[in-house]
Amino acid sequence: MGAWWQVCLLAIPLALPTDLGYPEQNGGWLTNKYLAPMEEEHCTVERRDASLTYSQFIDQYAFSRPVVIQGITDNSEFQAHCTRDQLLAEFGDRLVRLSTANTYSYRKVDVPFQEYVEHLLEPQDLASLGSDTLYFFGDNNFTEWGSLFQQYRPPPFRIPGTSGAYSFGIAGSGSGVPFHWHGPGYSEVIYGRKRWFLYPPEKTPEFHPNKTTLSWLLDTYPFLPPEDRPVECTIHPGEVLYFPDRWWHATLNLDTSVFISTFLG
């Protein structure tokens, strides 16, 4: 254990645990069981509030740059359905499909949701490769989980010619998906915090496709020159991050996090 603590303390700022149980304010999801990576020193994604209009969104962000929008949706009812106790009571015996957390190849494993929550929902192991890290996001059965998704209010701004598809997930502290890209979309955190790293389509990030985001943060990020740093920000409950088409992005859950993305395709 000594080496683990030394690596983390030297490489990135860490948050000291304040509560080792299942705090009510985080929906009962375990957080800060171990030291967790902290937020970036300065968010470099513009933040807008609910006064942002649709025309401003289209003109300024939809096709050009990411934005964090605060208070654009009220998902307090959906959040109430996403507590640990509520989800286990309703979906504990349902199968969920886990994916490996690497960039180009995804192994799929089906397990009961209760087994995932009670035995696999752990902080990221620093020694694990992406191909060894199982991650619950997307691949949800929309028939079985439909009653939950009906409670969600997605961001109201749509890009012409697209429709939304949900990707719901729950993941432990330090977990995440390494750099990849796809079409445009939104990401909202329901519980916990999620840190995002983004690059425009013309700037391919330096990363190993089978290393976890946490490994990249420890081993690569500190040595990047300023001009090669990503655009980055941590989103909190009540905030929505929009990312444009083909923007590279990687994610890192700073706490045990419940989150949902709306992909525009």
Side-chain angles (χ1 to χ4, degrees), residues 9 38 50 105 112 166 227 236 256:
L9 288 171
M38 288 181 66
S105 63
Y166 296 147
E227 64 272 17
H236 304 78
T256 302

Side-chain angles (χ1 to χ4, degrees), residues 127-144:
S128 294
L129 295 173
S131 57
D132 299 322
T133 301
L134 293 174
Y135 193 71
F136 172 40
F137 72 104
D139 288 316
N140 306 293
N141 185 313
F142 281 75
T143 301
E144 293 187 337

Side-chain angles (χ1 to χ4, degrees), residues 20 28 36 39 73 154 188 211 218 250 257:
L20 300 182
E39 299 179 19
T73 59
E188 181 169 356
K211 295 288 185 70
L218 291 169
S257 300

Side-chain angles (χ1 to χ4, degrees), residues 15 48 61 68 72 80 82 89 91 93 95 141 157 170 182 201 205 227 239 263:
R48 299 292 299 267
Y61 306 106
V68 175
I72 195 173
C82 290
F91 301 103
D93 61 345
L95 288 178
N141 185 313
F157 300 152
I170 303 170
H182 43 68
E227 64 272 17
E239 295 184 323
F263 296 119

Side-chain angles (χ1 to χ4, degrees), residues 115-262:
E115 179 180 339
Y116 174 70
V117 170
E118 295 182 350
H119 301 291
L120 299 176
L121 188 60
E122 294 288 340
Q124 177 69 53
D125 182 350
L126 286 173
S128 294
L129 295 173
S131 57
D132 299 322
T133 301
L134 293 174
Y135 193 71
F136 172 40
F137 72 104
D139 288 316
N140 306 293
N141 185 313
F142 281 75
T143 301
E144 293 187 337
W145 290 76
S147 61
L148 177 66
F149 298 143
Q150 288 172 7
Q151 307 300 321
Y152 180 63
R153 299 180 62 183
F157 300 152
R158 286 288 185 269
I159 297 175
T162 68
S163 59
Y166 296 147
S167 174
F168 178 72
I170 303 170
S173 172
S175 65
V177 179
F179 282 105
H180 63 288
W181 60 266
H182 43 68
Y186 297 96
S187 179
E188 181 169 356
V189 170
I190 307 303
Y191 287 111
R193 298 167 298 158
K194 182 184 284 286
R195 185 172 173 181
W196 280 71
F197 308 91
L198 304 108
Y199 286 95
E202 67 274 10
K203 192 174 181 65
T204 302
E206 178 186 343
F207 74 102
H208 189 292
N210 200 28
K211 295 288 185 70
T212 63
T213 303
L214 185 57
S215 295
W216 176 86
L217 183 65
L218 291 169
D219 301 335
T220 302
Y221 178 91
F223 305 104
L224 292 174
E227 64 272 17
D228 290 335
R229 287 289 177 98
V231 175
E232 58 183 303
C233 199
T234 297
I235 59 172
H236 304 78
E239 295 184 323
V240 173
L241 180 139
Y242 169 77
F243 52 89
D245 186 32
R246 295 179 178 267
W247 271 63
W248 289 93
H249 54 276
T251 60
L252 182 69
N253 297 292
L254 303 187
D255 311 300
T256 302
S257 300
V258 180
F259 50 90
I260 186 167
S261 296
T262 306

